[in-house]
Amino acid sequence: MPVEGFKVDVEKAVGHQFESEKVICNKRDFLLYALGVGVKEDELKYLYELNKDFSPLPTYPLALLLKGNDFDVNLFKERANGKGGLPGMPYYDPNKIVHGEQSLEVFRPFPVNGGTFSAKKTCTGVYDKGSGMVIETTVDLYDEQENVKYCSMTSKSFVRGYGGWNGPKGPKGVSYTPPKRNPDAVETFASTANQALIYRLSGDYNPLHADTELAPTIGFPKPILHGLCTYGACAHLIIKALAENDPTRFKSIEARFSSPVFPGETVEVYMWKVDSKDPKTQGVIFAAKAKERDVVVINNGYVTLYKKTPESKL
C-alpha cells in the first residue's frame, strides 16, 4: 500500500546539486578495500604497498563516498544523508531503502597515494514504480581543486512502499542478456564468515551488515554482505580473468543487485565477452550467483575494458 499523503515535488528534487564534500583516503584504505572484496595473498599488487606494480582497485572510489573525510568509524545514517536533504522530498523511512543499481565510469586512474578529493553529488532522477520509488543520484569525483575529474558514479536506490503518487515512471533501462553459449570465464569469490566485518572498515558502517539483532527486524535472518562488496569482487575478477589483471584497462561497470549475499557464501561470477561499439574496447556481460542457494545475486551486469594495445615493433 502506498504511504498516505506521500508525494515528491519532482521539479524541485531532480537536478538538485548538493554541496560538494571533501573525502580523503590513503594507501592503507586501498589495502583494506582489496581485502574486503576478497583479493587473495597471491595478488600483492593490490595488497602490498611496496610492490612495484602497487595499484588501488579501480572500484575503490565507490567506498570512498561513505567513508567521508576522516579515518574513524562514522554513523551510517549521517553519511548516507550527505550534506543537506533533497528539496521536494518528504521524509521516508531509511530502513526501506534497497540499493538497486550501480554504475561507475573511470576517466583517469586513481592516484596511487590517495589524497583529498571533492565529491559533487546531483539528484538525476526520482521515479514512481508503484510499489516504491527509485532515487537516482550521480556523484562526480574530482581532485581537491575540482580541476581533474577521476570518475562518475550513478546509484539507483529503491525505497519500498513509497510509490503510487503518480510520478514519472522513468526511462526503460538497457537490458544485457548473456549470449546463449558457455561463458568465456567463470571466477569464484569465496566470501568468508567475517567478510562484511572486513569490508565495512572501508567506510560503509550500515548496522545491517554487522548487527545480529537488527537484521531480523528488517527481514533478514542474519547480517548480509554489502552489495558493493560483491560488486567490487566481480569487477576485480573480471579484470583478473579478461584484462590480464591490468587495472588500467578497466573503463566502466554497471549492474543490478537482485538478491543479498550472506557472508560465507561462494559467489560464482559468469562472464561473456561481447562486441563493443568502440573498436578500442571490449564489452563483458556478467552475472553473479550464490552457489550454495543457486540464487542470482547480481544481474544485468556490463563491464567495458580497454583492449590491450599492441606493442610496437622496433
Side-chain angles (χ1 to χ4, degrees):
M1 290 291 292
V3 175
E4 187 175 350
F6 184 87
K7 185 172 179 61
V8 180
D9 188 332
V10 175
E11 288 190 4
K12 285 185 179 179
V14 177
H16 175 73
Q17 292 186 336
F18 295 84
E19 182 183 344
S20 296
E21 289 192 59
K22 298 299 181 187
V23 292
I24 58 175
C25 61
N26 57 26
K27 287 183 178 179
R28 186 174 183 272
D29 294 307
F30 301 153
L31 303 176
L32 260 182
Y33 177 79
L35 287 172
V37 299
V39 177
K40 299 302 182 187
E41 64 279 356
D42 59 347
E43 292 183 74
L44 289 178
K45 66 190 293 180
Y46 304 120
L47 295 172
Y48 180 45
E49 69 283 358
L50 297 181
N51 185 279
K52 65 181 179 63
D53 297 318
F54 178 71
S55 171
L57 285 164
T59 50
Y60 173 75
L62 292 168
L64 186 55
L65 301 178
L66 284 176
K67 176 184 177 298
N69 64 349
D70 69 39
F71 295 97
D72 202 354
V73 297
N74 58 54
L75 287 175
F76 172 74
K77 283 186 178 180
E78 290 182 1
R79 289 300 307 150
N81 288 336
K83 287 196 172 184
L86 179 61
M89 178 64 69
Y91 172 82
Y92 57 86
D93 183 353
N95 288 324
K96 298 292 186 180
I97 299 173
V98 177
H99 198 166
E101 298 179 34
Q102 180 70 52
S103 69
L104 162 70
E105 183 174 7
V106 174
F107 300 110
R108 61 178 61 213
F110 208 58
V112 72
N113 291 316
T116 301
F117 304 89
S118 180
K120 302 179 73 171
K121 182 167 76 170
T122 304
C123 176
T124 45
V126 179
Y127 307 119
D128 181 353
K129 297 296 185 180
S131 61
M133 73 172 164
V134 169
I135 303 174
E136 179 183 287
T137 56
T138 298
V139 177
D140 295 318
L141 194 64
Y142 293 83
D143 68 324
E144 190 173 8
Q145 289 74 36
E146 298 188 358
N147 294 323
V148 179
K149 187 176 181 180
Y150 287 102
C151 62
S152 183
M153 298 163 274
T154 298
S155 176
K156 292 182 180 179
S157 296
F158 184 75
V159 189
R160 294 171 293 170
Y162 287 85
W165 40 273
N166 295 319
K169 304 304 178 192
K172 184 173 174 59
V174 179
S175 182
Y176 299 110
T177 305
K180 293 185 177 180
R181 57 176 171 81
N182 289 333
D184 292 289
V186 180
E187 293 284 338
T188 299
F189 165 42
S191 73
T192 59
N194 64 351
Q195 198 75 52
L197 298 176
I198 298 172
Y199 183 82
R200 71 192 300 269
L201 300 178
S202 287
D204 186 344
Y205 294 100
N206 187 339
L208 174 60
H209 306 294
D211 193 327
T212 55
E213 294 181 359
L214 173 68
T217 68
I218 303 177
F220 299 106
K222 57 183 179 179
I224 62 174
L225 191 59
H226 305 69
L228 286 178
C229 173
T230 307
Y231 190 90
C234 289
H236 161 242
L237 292 172
I238 291 168
I239 293 168
K240 183 179 179 182
L242 300 179
E244 299 180 333
N245 212 7
D246 180 356
T248 66
R249 288 177 56 190
F250 177 91
K251 184 178 188 293
S252 65
I253 181 173
E254 56 185 295
R256 181 180 301 134
F257 302 101
S258 52
S259 189
V261 173
F262 293 99
E265 290 188 318
T266 304
V267 177
E268 294 178 329
V269 185
Y270 299 83
M271 316 166 198
W272 293 265
K273 291 193 285 188
V274 293
D275 291 336
S276 170
K277 292 179 181 177
D278 182 352
K280 295 180 181 179
T281 63
Q282 172 72 63
V284 180
I285 290 175
F286 74 96
K289 182 176 74 172
K291 182 179 179 181
E292 290 83 357
R293 291 180 290 129
D294 194 28
V295 171
V296 174
V297 294
I298 288 182
N299 65 9
N300 212 45
Y302 190 87
V303 163
T304 303
L305 302 171
Y306 291 107
K307 292 179 179 178
K308 187 175 181 179
T309 305
E311 296 181 10
S312 59
K313 296 180 180 180
L314 298 177

